[in-house]
Amino acid sequence: MEEAKALLSELTVLDFTDEWGQLCGKIFADLGAQVIKVEPPGGDKVRHKGPFVGKDPDLEKSLFWLAMNTGKKSITVDLETDDGRKTFHRLSRGADFVLESFSPGYLDSLGLSYKALSAENPGLIMVAITPFGQSGPYSQYLGSDLICMALAGEMNLCGDPDDRPLRISVPQAFFHASLEAAAGALFALWHRHRTGKGQFVDVSAQESIIWEGGHNHAIWYTNRINITREGAYRRFGHLGRMRMIHPCKDGYVVMYQTGGRVYAPGLRALIGWMDSEGMADDFLHEFDWENFTTAHFDEKVAREQEKRFHPFFKTKTKKELWERGLTDRIVLAPVCTTEDIIKSDHFRERNFWVPLPHPESDQTVLYPGSPYKSSRPHYAVRGMAPRLGQDNECVLGTGSDRHINTQPLHEDRKGKNNKGRDELLFEGLKILDLSWIATGPSAVRFFADYGAMVVRVESRSQTDVLRIAPPYKDMEPGIDRSSYFTLYTSNKYGMTVDLKNPRGLELIKKLVAWADVVTEAFSPGIIEKIGLGYDVLRSIKPDIIMASTSQLGATGVPFRGFGAHGAALAGFWSVTGYPGGGPSGLYGAYCDYVANRYLVVAITMALEERRQTGRGQHIDQSQIESSLTFLAPALLDYVFNGVVSRPKGNRDPHAAPHNAYPCRGENRWCAIAVSTDEQWEALKGVMGHPDWAEDERFAILKARKENENELDRLMDGWTSHNECHELMARLQEAGVPAGVVAQAEDLHQDPQLIHRGHIMYVDHPVLGSYASDLPAFRLSLAKPRTPNPSPCLGEHNEFVVKEILGLSNREWEQLKGDGTFGEE
């Protein structure tokens, strides 16, 4: 295999982040930049965060630290001292990036603001990652994984309807914020190439998580329905709910019970298998699976199906169901544990795992590898996480071996000095988007929002699933009536092409010659069969960048599935649920909204390589492999310790109380996360020092953890008399991390989101209006465009043909007559 190139080898990154941003620094290190992790003298607090190698709480054995800091250097600097601040100034003069996750205003108070640093280094890009952003009514609120998952609305969608809202037991908020920060930082770097200017990148963790809710807030805005958690089921708007998680002999599988062109053939194969063992009846054989789609869902019918499927599933193992599913194209997936993932032949055959030295021996262990592959590799895990202060001498020393420049950036590293240019960041970039559903379209929308011209091609005969998925305007299905589809297609031109028509294929090839980037999300091998594989594309345009995204990648297991299946295969469902219970389904296509931002990174880096070398490339993204980064600490816990991660509810080993607690009103909850004794004292003050809170069972964290069930019961009794928003405000004012478990309606009324303009409202010719999200980063110099509405099906056929491709009226009429655009 070709060795990965270090495309960012000339860049220096100073990483001052804690858990909120260390994945961002790791991404830069994996891309070849020199990343210097700056720690306080006692070590970064992440070093104290478990799990640990051998369960020994040692500074050098935190698996969170080892997972998120590969390839970095470590130095120690005390910013509370004059010498430490001088060192910061000196290092930042020669740095390209400063990554930080301090509370808003902290660096300003030390004289280390972006304004002060950029005065000495105008090309500096500073990336600030915080729970809620740098300004606004919540900017000074205390955040944590639990609090951000609550206020982003994700917890309201996760768990059983008659129990507490849940977070994923392996904390996720930090990773979402970090990945969003990496995308924003690379956009800022691209801007510097064009203008010579650095800038400030402001990242909100709350906003980065909202994407995970998929069309949650759109359902409220379109239909005024606050959907909520359904446990093992999935709700289809006003149509009812369907079971997603099915128990089997040794665990669980995820399967939709709807039919249609995607699922019906597999369901009929499943019924044939059941029939061969005497477990299928006339109801299953005679049912009209082809027309039982999400648009025509019936909950009562789904219950009858469930009664028949379950007894059969319980006679089979996950492996039996998975392997037969692959053979017969039954669209189901096992709920994989971390053990299943580590032992999977598929990931081993794709060379996903990277061997790195064991921190305490001469042995090597397997680490999660690159989140995507490329024909010109540039992403690679480049070494173990550093020991505390191991690079003090080479970075901070005065000898000839010092490894960082402390002079301002040279002009050739700043880019062109184009003062006064105010065009959009990616103006001039042309993207042909052949992808569908969520990962590809949402990734491309990042570029569209920042100025790229995007032509999105659809089929009239095989409609994008999201076009026919709720929520619908007036609850009436229709090809242009779904606001789910609109979330990822604003600022794009929409056209239809029949790829089975030779004239249609030729039209696509003309668009390839026009484009800089082509994205596609067909099942592996299909794009080649159509005649649009990478070899064909680069014969048309040698420097074309092609990005392919699929569940498991272009090689290995030939699985065709959707977001719920991906989250099960990637292990997220196995670590989400109540202690001692089974998995509780995540809402939406969880992996799609991890993979989409890694795809943004991949495409931006491919553009960077083309800028440096003039060469294009083919990106092969497995959405599952991209997402496994977010479970890295749990995967390493199995690798090092043999521990299989299980659902823990909202429990946290370093905090108590730490849960969602009931408040006044239907389905109203407030998340509270107390991690220090000082916060516990503050909480007691807000509660008015009830007698039970003074009990020695709750005096210190260790005692509170030992008596956590009773503590939660008593907390429930107190919080249930409070209004959730008022309670959050009172607790935060007292210094206690707290956050409302937001429903979809709350997101539209959230004062912080309103302040930051996160949700936009776009006029549409059919929907009237729809709600859409901005990326979770704000660039101080490069602004996103005012959104144009999502296209109706085939809306821009004539514009693309005539204005983009420059074909004549006669050619346009001929293409229409030949059925190039599909039958209307």
Side-chain angles (χ1 to χ4, degrees):
M1 182 179 296
E2 184 181 349
E3 184 177 348
K5 296 171 288 295
L7 281 182
L8 302 186
S9 60
E10 293 188 358
L11 301 184
T12 297
V13 179
L14 301 178
D15 183 355
F16 287 85
T17 64
D18 55 14
E19 63 260 47
W20 287 106
Q22 287 178 11
L23 174 59
C24 179
K26 169 185 161 57
I27 290 170
F28 272 95
D30 291 347
L31 292 171
Q34 177 182 222
V35 179
I36 300 169
K37 181 68 188 76
V38 186
E39 305 186 59
D44 190 287
K45 67 180 184 180
V46 168
R47 291 183 179 274
H48 301 273
K49 188 179 183 71
F52 296 92
V53 176
K55 303 181 182 180
D56 178 14
D58 183 284
L59 283 175
E60 306 297 348
K61 295 182 179 181
S62 163
L63 293 175
F64 193 107
W65 172 265
L66 294 175
M68 293 299 122
N69 291 280
T70 56
K72 300 181 186 180
K73 300 180 185 296
S74 169
I75 63 173
T76 53
V77 175
D78 187 353
L79 294 184
E80 297 292 331
T81 67
D82 288 339
D83 285 344
R85 291 188 285 274
K86 289 177 182 177
T87 298
F88 190 147
H89 267 290
R90 179 167 62 85
L91 294 176
S92 68
R93 281 198 294 270
D96 298 274
F97 292 88
V98 169
L99 312 179
E100 61 98 351
S101 57
F102 299 107
S103 297
Y106 173 74
L107 287 180
D108 292 23
S109 72
L110 299 180
L112 301 173
S113 67
Y114 177 67
K115 182 178 180 180
L117 298 177
S118 62
E120 298 183 3
N121 181 0
L124 181 67
I125 297 168
M126 192 169 195
V127 183
I129 307 163
T130 54
F132 306 105
Q134 292 294 302
S135 64
Y138 295 174
S139 62
Q140 295 298 322
Y141 272 18
L142 298 173
S144 69
D145 177 71
L146 184 76
I147 304 307
C148 287
M149 295 297 273
L151 276 165
E154 184 70 10
M155 285 180 63
N156 183 56
L157 302 172
C158 185
D160 293 340
D162 57 353
D163 209 329
R164 299 179 196 268
L166 287 177
R167 69 166 183 167
I168 299 172
S169 295
V170 178
Q172 297 289 293
F174 314 128
F175 302 143
H176 287 294
S178 283
L179 183 52
E180 188 84 20
L186 289 173
F187 276 27
L189 179 63
W190 190 258
H191 183 267
R192 194 177 80 177
H193 291 324
R194 300 188 66 158
T195 67
K197 299 175 183 177
Q199 62 186 296
F200 188 82
V201 184
D202 173 10
V203 181
S204 159
Q206 179 194 22
E207 291 177 56
S208 70
I209 302 162
I210 288 174
W211 282 81
E212 287 298 339
H215 60 328
N216 172 38
H217 69 72
I219 289 177
W220 182 83
Y221 188 73
T222 302
N223 297 153
R224 292 303 192 264
I225 295 174
N226 273 316
I227 59 172
T228 188
R229 57 201 172 277
E230 298 287 353
Y233 291 80
R234 169 70 54 81
R235 180 166 292 278
F236 292 97
H238 64 288
L239 299 175
R241 57 185 206 148
M242 172 186 68
R243 178 176 279 276
M244 294 287 294
I245 304 174
H246 305 268
C248 61
K249 197 171 184 179
D250 62 345
Y252 301 86
V253 293
V254 170
M255 187 186 79
Y256 287 92
Q257 292 170 211
T258 52
R261 62 178 173 82
V262 175
Y263 297 113
L267 287 170
R268 292 204 177 279
L270 173 61
I271 293 164
W273 184 14
M274 294 169 64
D275 192 47
S276 70
E277 299 188 14
M279 298 186 72
D281 61 9
D282 290 344
F283 174 85
L284 292 178
H285 282 297
E286 296 171 3
F287 190 77
D288 184 6
W289 293 104
E290 283 70 19
N291 291 309
F292 190 61
T293 65
T294 55
H296 302 94
F297 180 73
D298 186 318
E299 184 171 349
K300 291 181 180 179
V301 172
R303 292 291 176 274
E304 290 300 315
Q305 298 166 357
E306 184 182 316
K307 291 177 184 177
R308 291 157 171 83
F309 287 134
H310 274 199
F312 178 73
F313 285 155
K314 288 180 180 178
T315 69
K316 307 299 177 188
T317 65
K318 290 188 296 185
K319 187 173 187 291
E320 288 174 311
L321 290 167
W322 171 241
E323 291 179 348
R324 186 64 174 260
L326 292 174
T327 301
D328 291 356
R329 303 188 72 174
I330 305 167
V331 187
L332 57 76
V335 175
C336 290
T337 65
T338 50
E339 179 181 16
D340 295 331
I341 293 166
I342 295 295
K343 292 181 176 180
S344 166
D345 292 336
H346 171 79
F347 298 117
R348 185 174 62 255
E349 290 169 3
R350 277 180 57 86
N351 296 311
F352 174 67
W353 306 111
V354 176
L356 290 178
H358 188 289
E360 299 297 323
S361 73
D362 295 331
Q363 297 178 334
T364 59
V365 294
L366 298 179
Y367 271 62
S370 173
Y372 56 87
K373 299 182 184 302
S374 173
S375 60
R376 293 185 57 78
H378 54 256
Y379 196 109
V381 178
R382 300 177 191 269
M384 283 290 292
R387 298 179 70 86
L388 177 61
Q390 72 175 34
D391 301 291
N392 279 345
E393 181 58 32
C394 71
V395 174
L396 299 175
T398 57
S400 61
D401 61 343
R402 192 159 76 195
H403 287 183
I404 183 171
N405 179 25
T406 58
Q407 300 303 312
L409 292 180
H410 193 269
E411 286 299 319
D412 64 2
R413 287 176 63 194
K414 291 183 184 178
K416 296 181 290 185
N417 185 9
N418 295 318
K419 294 181 179 179
R421 293 182 67 176
D422 58 359
E423 77 273 14
L424 290 161
L425 175 59
F426 286 105
E427 185 170 343
L429 179 67
K430 294 167 288 188
I431 301 178
L432 173 59
D433 186 6
L434 303 177
S435 63
W436 67 321
I437 310 182
T439 300
S442 59
V444 171
R445 222 204 88 182
F446 277 73
F447 297 95
D449 285 356
Y450 279 89
M453 176 178 277
V454 178
V455 174
R456 186 168 195 273
V457 176
E458 300 180 70
S459 167
R460 289 187 180 275
S461 61
Q462 295 190 19
T463 310
D464 189 318
V465 172
L466 298 193
R467 273 200 181 273
I468 54 175
Y472 313 114
K473 178 178 171 59
D474 302 325
M475 298 188 182
E476 295 179 10
I479 205 72
D480 293 314
R481 301 179 68 85
S482 168
S483 61
Y484 198 169
F485 176 81
T486 64
L487 290 173
Y488 316 124
T489 49
S490 298
N491 289 325
K492 299 181 183 181
Y493 294 101
M495 74 178 302
T496 57
V497 174
D498 181 359
L499 292 177
K500 296 179 181 178
N501 184 324
R503 294 296 299 275
L505 192 61
E506 288 304 312
L507 190 62
I508 293 296
K509 289 180 178 179
K510 290 180 186 296
L511 284 167
V512 170
W514 162 83
D516 298 292
V517 179
V518 176
T519 59
E520 65 92 7
F522 292 97
S523 297
I526 298 298
I527 197 74
E528 287 79 13
K529 290 181 181 178
I530 291 172
L532 293 172
Y534 177 59
D535 287 341
V536 173
L537 267 57
R538 66 177 176 173
S539 72
I540 299 170
K541 188 167 187 178
D543 66 348
I544 196 74
I545 294 165
M546 183 179 186
S548 300
T549 180
S550 59
Q551 288 272 325
L552 288 169
T555 60
V557 176
F559 176 66
R560 299 176 63 193
F562 293 91
H565 306 107
L569 287 167
F572 290 100
W573 290 41
S574 74
V575 295
T576 305
Y578 301 96
S584 185
L586 298 173
Y587 185 83
Y590 191 84
C591 294
D592 287 28
Y593 305 106
V594 179
N596 69 342
R597 285 169 285 187
Y598 269 120
L599 192 57
V600 170
V601 170
I603 293 171
T604 308
M605 291 306 300
L607 290 168
E608 171 65 15
E609 177 164 8
R610 194 175 71 171
R611 185 188 72 84
Q612 293 182 18
T613 69
R615 295 176 177 174
Q617 61 188 269
H618 182 205
I619 296 160
D620 165 27
Q621 182 191 48
S622 159
Q623 295 159 14
I624 307 303
E625 289 172 2
S626 289
S627 302
L628 289 179
T629 310
F630 279 33
L631 286 181
L635 292 169
L636 291 183
D637 200 14
Y638 182 79
V639 170
F640 281 98
N641 302 320
V643 173
V644 179
S645 295
R646 303 293 185 190
K648 301 180 181 66
N650 296 319
R651 295 289 168 86
D652 185 283
H654 309 292
H658 190 275
N659 217 329
Y661 298 96
C663 294
R664 290 203 312 264
E666 183 180 355
N667 191 35
R668 301 307 325 201
W669 304 78
C670 185
I672 300 173
V674 173
S675 59
T676 69
D677 290 337
E678 291 76 17
Q679 291 172 356
W680 172 242
E681 291 300 318
L683 174 59
K684 288 196 298 183
V686 175
M687 293 191 295
H689 294 279
D691 290 342
W692 64 263
E694 305 297 342
D695 193 294
E696 63 181 11
R697 293 176 299 165
F698 311 123
I700 60 175
L701 177 61
K702 183 176 183 294
R704 291 195 295 277
K705 292 299 298 179
E706 291 171 350
N707 296 281
E708 198 160 9
N709 287 338
E710 179 65 6
L711 176 60
D712 281 345
R713 186 187 70 79
L714 293 165
M715 287 290 299
D716 286 348
W718 176 70
T719 60
S720 61
H721 300 291
N722 290 268
E723 195 280 327
C724 56
H725 291 86
E726 294 174 0
L727 178 59
M728 173 181 70
R730 288 167 56 203
L731 290 171
Q732 286 281 359
E733 185 177 0
V736 179
V740 170
V741 177
Q743 300 180 19
E745 181 178 1
D746 296 320
L747 298 178
H748 291 271
Q749 300 170 359
D750 183 300
Q752 183 67 16
L753 298 178
I754 292 171
H755 171 82
R756 288 176 60 86
H758 178 74
I759 299 178
M760 304 172 296
Y761 302 96
V762 186
D763 292 330
H764 187 274
V766 176
L767 292 168
S769 176
Y770 66 85
S772 189
D773 307 87
L774 275 178
F777 56 80
R778 302 290 181 273
L779 306 179
S780 60
L781 297 183
K783 308 297 182 185
R785 69 171 71 181
T786 301
N788 291 313
S790 171
C792 294
L793 186 65
E795 178 179 348
H796 301 112
N797 286 350
E798 185 173 1
F799 176 85
V800 173
V801 168
K802 293 182 179 180
E803 301 301 324
I804 292 181
L805 294 180
L807 301 185
S808 66
N809 283 331
R810 182 180 63 80
E811 289 170 307
W812 157 248
E813 294 296 338
Q814 186 175 7
L815 288 169
K816 283 199 300 180
D818 289 343
T820 302
F821 307 106
E823 295 185 9
E824 297 189 22

